[in-house]
């Protein structure tokens, strides 16, 4: 990247996450970018990246804000918008440090969770009450000593939007020492729901604030069955846009389910949590053990935990019931599932899960267009959090007709869909843009037309 000097800004990465990476049409000028983004805050610099040889814009720019919250809000509001008539929608990401090539998008969970130091007397409600003024909170977690159950004076607050988390960091009382939380192992730490099994790294050098890592759903020893802390009620957390009907069908495979409710917000949109209740402890324990960590749809791991259901288990009947379930489960550990007395639905191993799980009604599959067909339109697709397999994408995008081929870009979470008919491509884009397929959200837009044959001298290496 040339002509990217720091004369105007002493430190381009101060504060962190205050610089935007913007992909635009090559015709967009620096002045247009400045005018467009200035409504979100104090702009410290705008840089349009140009080709070293031709000095022509590459369609990539950087916008530096004075505050992280300003940059995050600009990303949330401008990603996918059109700056000027006749140009393509822009892509807006949070630029990482100059030593990194990775950028963060609006759905990056690492931008929405903060780590705070709090009084040990705080409850989760106190923590939520303190930080709710900066935005809608998805959940709060207070870290506790495993032996005593006492608070460690540390907690996590997860917001729905990056701008909300950065506002909290910037404006909360400095005694909270709020900073963004980072997963201990970014390759494996992919679940972080309230009360779930997740592992995080605590800032500082003397912080022992780890929680158990993701559990193997077939490992019955992940729970201390002597504790008696299991109930007939379960809380299910999911990142994919599952419907109540899908959750009901899945958990109803274990006999005894009497209640299933997907929690929704004021607009009727699912919050990603559902309450499941069984008629007996055995079914609930078996469902938790079998389905915690289960991928449904493929690529989306469910997090299943017991929640307090208000029942009194201090009496002799309650204690006997829990001891009986514990004995059943311990029998499964020592003797193997085949000898377990716990209920085993005969059809559990052959769950009726469709190959395609999506939050939109799809037309039936259609034949691909001949490989030698001329491409009349191309779609550009961005995947989050991971790329879908080619065969799944073919199955989804062929349903609108005239699909020629699917091309995935190696090493990146993007791909191209080539169509022999423009109308078919437009229909696919209108139906699939922003939708979830097998736990992956897709952003579908028109691809740039292929570049005309260039007369520039070929670069040699």
């Amino acid at each position: 990247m040339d002509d990217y000097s720091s004369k105007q800004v002493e430190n381009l990465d101060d504060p962190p996450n205050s610089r935007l990476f913007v992909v635009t049409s090559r015709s967009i000028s620096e002045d247009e970018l400045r005018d467009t983004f200035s409504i979100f805050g104090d702009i410290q610099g705008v840089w349009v990246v140009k080709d070293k040889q031709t000095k022509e814009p590459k369609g990539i720019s950087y916008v530096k804000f004075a505050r992280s919250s300003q940059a995050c809000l600009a990303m949330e509001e401008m990603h996918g918008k059109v700056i000027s008539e006749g140009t393509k929608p822009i892509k807006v990401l949070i630029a990482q440090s100059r030593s990194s090539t990775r950028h963060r998008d609006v759905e990056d969970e690492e931008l929405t969770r903060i780590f705070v130091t709090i009084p040990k007397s705080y409850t989760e409600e106190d923590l939520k009450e303190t930080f709710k003024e900066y935005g809608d909170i998805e959940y709060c977690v207070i870290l506790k000593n495993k032996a005593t159950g006492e608070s460690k004076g540390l907690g996590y607050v997860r917001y729905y939007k990056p701008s909300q988390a950065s506002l909290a960091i910037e404006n909360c009382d400095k005694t909270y020492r709020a900073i963004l939380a980072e997963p201990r192992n970014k390759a494996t730490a992919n679940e972080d729901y309230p009360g779930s099994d997740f592992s995080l790294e605590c800032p500082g050098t003397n912080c022992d604030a780890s929680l158990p890592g993701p559990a193997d759903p077939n490992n019955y020893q992940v729970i201390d069955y002597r504790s008696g802390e299991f109930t007939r009620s379960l809380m299910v957390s999911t990142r994919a846009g599952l419907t109540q009907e899908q959750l009901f069908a899945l958990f109803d495979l274990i006999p005894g389910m009497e209640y299933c409710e997907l929690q929704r917000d004021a607009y009727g949109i699912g919050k990603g949590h559902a309450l499941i209740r069984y008629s007996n402890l055995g079914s609930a324990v078996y469902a938790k053990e079998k389905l915690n960590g289960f991928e449904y749809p493929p690529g989306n791991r469910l997090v299943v935990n017991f929640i307090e259901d208000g029942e009194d288990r201090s009496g002799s009947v309650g204690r006997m019931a829990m001891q009986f379930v514990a004995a059943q489960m311990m029998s499964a550990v020592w003797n193997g599932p085949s000898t377990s007395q716990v209920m085993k639905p005969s059809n559990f191993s052959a769950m009726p899960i469709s190959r395609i799980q999506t939050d939109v009604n799809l037309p039936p599959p259609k034949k691909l267009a001949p490989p030698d067909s001329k491409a009349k339109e191309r779609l550009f697709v961005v995947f989050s959090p991971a790329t879908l397999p080619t065969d799944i994408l073919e199955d989804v995008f062929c349903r609108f007709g005239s699909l020629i081929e699917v091309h995935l870009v190696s090493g990146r979470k993007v791909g191209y869909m080539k169509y022999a008919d423009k109308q078919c491509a437009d229909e696919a884009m209108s139906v699939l843009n922003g939708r979830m397929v097998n736990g992956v959200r897709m952003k579908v837009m028109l691809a740039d037309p292929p570049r005309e044959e260039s007369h520039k001298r070929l670069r040699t290496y």
Side-chain angles (χ1 to χ4, degrees):
M1 178 170 53
D2 65 332
D3 298 332
Y4 195 119
S5 67
S6 56
K7 293 179 181 179
Q8 295 172 300
V9 184
E10 292 184 2
N11 187 346
L12 295 170
D13 299 317
D14 182 28
N17 305 315
S18 60
R19 191 163 50 99
L20 296 180
F21 175 79
V22 187
V23 181
T24 69
S25 298
R26 295 177 179 83
S27 60
I28 300 296
S29 67
E30 179 180 320
D31 290 339
E32 287 179 295
L33 286 170
R34 188 180 297 275
D35 291 342
T36 299
F37 285 95
S38 61
I39 63 174
F40 300 103
D42 181 16
I43 293 180
Q44 296 183 328
V46 176
W47 297 269
V48 174
V49 182
K50 298 180 180 179
D51 187 278
K52 290 183 178 181
Q53 295 180 350
T54 66
K55 303 302 179 182
E56 295 177 356
K58 288 185 175 181
I60 296 175
S61 303
Y62 289 84
V63 180
K64 174 70 171 69
F65 283 90
R67 289 173 161 241
S68 303
S69 57
Q70 297 169 348
C72 290
L73 180 61
M75 171 182 64
E76 294 163 7
E77 295 296 327
M78 292 305 301
H79 182 74
K81 299 293 179 63
V82 175
I83 291 183
S84 61
E85 187 176 353
T87 62
K88 65 181 181 180
I90 64 175
K91 304 178 183 71
V92 185
L93 309 172
I94 294 292
Q96 290 296 77
S97 63
R98 297 188 66 186
S99 60
S100 173
T101 59
R102 178 174 173 264
H103 304 296
R104 290 171 168 172
D105 64 20
V106 71
E107 297 175 354
D108 196 320
E109 64 182 274
E110 294 178 24
L111 293 173
T112 57
R113 186 177 59 248
I114 67 173
F115 170 81
V116 293
T117 301
I118 55 177
K120 291 188 176 181
S121 60
Y122 265 35
T123 64
E124 290 184 359
E125 280 301 316
D126 294 330
L127 184 58
K128 186 173 184 178
E129 187 69 23
T130 300
F131 284 89
K132 71 178 184 180
E133 65 175 290
Y134 306 110
D136 296 328
I137 294 176
E138 184 175 351
Y139 67 80
C140 295
V141 174
I142 292 179
L143 303 184
K144 298 180 180 180
N145 186 294
K146 295 178 183 178
T148 65
E150 295 180 352
S151 169
K152 293 183 177 182
L154 305 169
Y156 293 92
V157 181
R158 174 72 179 269
Y159 289 92
Y160 283 99
K161 294 182 178 181
S163 61
Q164 298 168 341
S166 54
L167 273 176
I169 292 174
E170 293 166 0
N171 299 314
C172 73
D173 193 297
K174 300 306 177 186
T175 58
Y176 292 112
R177 301 176 185 176
I179 61 173
L180 283 178
E182 295 285 344
R184 170 180 298 175
N185 185 340
K186 295 179 182 179
T188 59
N190 51 13
E191 334 292 347
D192 56 351
Y193 305 95
S196 68
D197 298 331
F198 66 101
S199 179
L200 299 170
E201 180 175 352
C202 231
T205 56
N206 298 316
C207 179
D208 177 20
S210 61
L211 295 176
D216 179 355
N218 293 317
N219 182 1
Y220 292 96
Q221 291 177 301
V222 296
I223 291 180
D224 181 1
Y225 297 100
R226 296 169 296 178
S227 67
E229 293 181 353
F230 40 84
T231 70
R232 293 192 292 143
S233 299
L234 304 172
M235 178 61 74
V236 184
S237 299
T238 171
R239 282 291 180 197
L242 296 178
T243 65
Q244 178 158 322
E245 290 74 17
Q246 290 173 314
L247 288 168
F248 185 96
L250 178 63
F251 282 83
D252 194 41
L253 291 170
I254 290 85
M257 191 186 73
E258 60 182 16
Y259 184 79
C260 173
E261 180 183 7
L262 181 66
Q263 297 185 5
R264 304 178 187 274
D265 60 19
Y267 301 98
I269 301 175
K271 293 183 177 180
H273 306 290
L275 177 64
I276 309 291
R277 183 180 173 88
Y278 287 91
S279 60
N280 61 85
L281 285 170
S283 292
V285 172
Y286 187 74
K288 196 275 183 187
E289 290 300 296
K290 275 294 186 183
L291 294 177
N292 183 40
F294 182 74
E295 290 196 10
Y296 180 73
N300 174 66
R301 286 185 179 275
L302 300 178
V303 176
V304 184
N305 288 285
F306 295 110
I307 63 169
E308 179 57 47
D309 55 11
E311 288 193 2
D312 181 14
R313 292 183 173 78
S314 59
S316 58
V317 176
R319 289 198 301 272
M320 288 176 60
M322 288 189 291
Q323 290 171 0
F324 177 69
V325 173
Q328 288 181 314
M329 299 306 297
M330 292 306 294
S331 174
V333 174
W334 292 107
N335 302 323
S338 60
T339 60
S340 172
Q341 300 178 44
V342 180
M343 290 167 288
K344 291 188 278 189
S346 59
N347 61 341
F348 189 90
S349 60
M351 289 187 176
I353 301 177
S354 171
R355 183 169 181 264
I356 304 295
Q357 295 292 325
T358 180
D359 57 351
V360 63
N361 292 326
L362 295 175
K366 297 180 181 179
K367 291 184 178 180
L368 295 179
D372 57 352
S373 300
K374 183 178 180 180
K376 297 292 183 64
E377 190 68 271
R378 295 190 312 155
L379 299 180
F380 179 71
V381 185
V382 181
F383 306 97
S384 178
T387 307
L388 289 166
T390 302
D391 60 330
I392 294 294
L393 291 171
E394 285 185 351
D395 193 331
V396 172
F397 282 86
C398 77
R399 296 166 183 257
F400 304 91
S402 81
L403 177 67
I404 301 174
E405 67 170 342
V406 172
H407 173 70
L408 297 178
V409 180
S410 178
R412 299 181 62 190
K413 300 176 185 179
V414 299
Y416 292 90
M417 313 295 151
K418 295 183 179 180
Y419 282 88
D421 183 84
K422 186 179 186 304
Q423 184 176 352
C424 295
D426 291 342
E427 183 181 356
M429 179 174 63
S430 65
V431 172
L432 297 175
N433 183 38
R435 296 297 186 173
M436 299 284 292
V437 173
N438 289 6
V440 174
R441 188 172 297 280
M442 301 189 303
K443 298 174 184 176
V444 185
M445 60 199 84
L446 291 178
D448 290 337
R451 297 181 182 179
E452 296 180 0
E453 191 67 28
S454 175
H455 299 289
K456 298 176 184 177
R457 181 172 60 88
L458 294 176
R459 182 180 297 177
T460 57
Y461 298 92

